[in-house]
Amino acid sequence: MSGFHDVRFPLRVALGVSGGPVRRTEIVNLSNGREQRNGRWRHSRRSYDAGSGIRSISDLYEVLAFFEARGGQLYGFRFRDPLDWKSCGPLQAVSADDQVIGVGDGQRRVFQLAKTYADAGGGFERAIAKPVAGSLLLAVDGDPVAQGWALDPGTGAVTFAAEAVPAPGAVVTAGYEFDVPVRFDIDRIDVNLSGFDAGRIPTIPLTEILP
């Protein structure tokens, strides 16, 4: 991912931000009173307001310094979503069978980390491009695999060694923690300390960078 600094937004502030997934849906109202809906985006895109996580002058300065180090919108960075940051639910423990990331064919060595959101009505598979190093657990057909593979934490690609390639039909599953690649969505932060003391926090939007 070009134009990206592999550093994480201050976690203390991130845990208090507001935001989440955004979809772009086009709705056309027909002459008979019905409507036609069309999804403009294939994937959702997350958006956050970092300002909502600022609780003190120290927090504000830390975000300001981080903003300057990224050159405003110029460089992306890692951000931990306060709710959705691992392969399972927020109150569950990560396990190697959390997510199916592919099925072996005897030759395929590279598997992309992904997270599926689904119910009886439909589903969505999200590519995970910024896993947290050291958090990955892998299994093949339910058996944990502790070696014979390597993770690229910059892309989320898992590569098996030639002697450890999953057999044909073998289901590869994974559990992990991950960050969201984002950038600042502004090139200016307006700071007014008198307003801050009165409870007016600056809006600092962040937007997801899709892999």
Side-chain angles (χ1 to χ4, degrees):
M1 185 177 289
S2 62
F4 191 87
H5 289 170
D6 197 29
V7 294
R8 180 187 275 175
F9 185 81
L11 184 58
R12 182 180 67 256
V13 179
L15 293 177
V17 307
S18 60
V22 177
R23 290 278 182 175
R24 182 69 59 83
T25 306
E26 184 179 74
I27 301 176
V28 178
N29 292 306
L30 306 178
S31 58
N32 60 6
R34 297 178 179 174
E35 64 182 26
Q36 183 174 357
R37 296 182 295 275
N38 181 48
R40 298 288 301 276
W41 292 351
R42 181 180 178 184
H43 303 284
S44 60
R45 191 177 186 185
R46 277 144 183 82
S47 180
Y48 307 94
D49 176 13
S52 60
I54 295 174
R55 296 289 182 268
S56 66
I57 295 295
S58 295
D59 288 347
L60 181 58
Y61 180 78
E62 188 173 8
V63 172
L64 182 67
F66 191 88
F67 175 86
E68 290 284 39
R70 305 288 80 75
Q73 300 184 78
L74 186 58
Y75 291 98
F77 51 91
R78 287 175 175 261
F79 176 83
R80 176 171 156 176
D81 188 298
L83 177 65
D84 189 7
W85 53 277
K86 51 186 176 179
S87 54
C88 53
L91 301 181
Q92 298 173 310
V94 172
S95 68
D97 60 355
D98 282 344
Q99 301 290 328
V100 175
I101 61 171
V103 177
D105 60 8
Q107 297 182 341
R108 180 181 176 187
R109 295 179 57 192
V110 180
F111 294 80
Q112 176 65 44
L113 291 183
K115 183 172 183 179
T116 299
Y117 305 81
D119 57 23
F124 166 64
E125 183 178 88
R126 174 187 179 190
I128 301 300
K130 299 298 177 186
V132 176
S135 70
L136 180 62
L137 300 175
L138 276 184
V140 176
D141 274 347
D143 296 324
V145 179
Q147 55 187 3
W149 53 265
L151 170 67
D152 183 345
T155 65
V158 179
T159 303
F160 283 87
E163 65 275 11
V165 172
V171 178
V172 182
T173 56
Y176 47 82
E177 296 178 5
F178 65 94
D179 295 317
V180 182
V182 302
R183 62 169 172 79
F184 287 101
D185 204 19
I186 52 172
D187 268 329
R188 170 179 174 175
I189 294 180
D190 288 314
V191 177
N192 184 325
L193 292 185
S194 61
F196 183 86
D197 292 336
R200 293 193 297 273
I201 308 300
T203 298
I204 307 174
L206 310 176
T207 189
E208 181 177 7
I209 306 168
L210 295 180

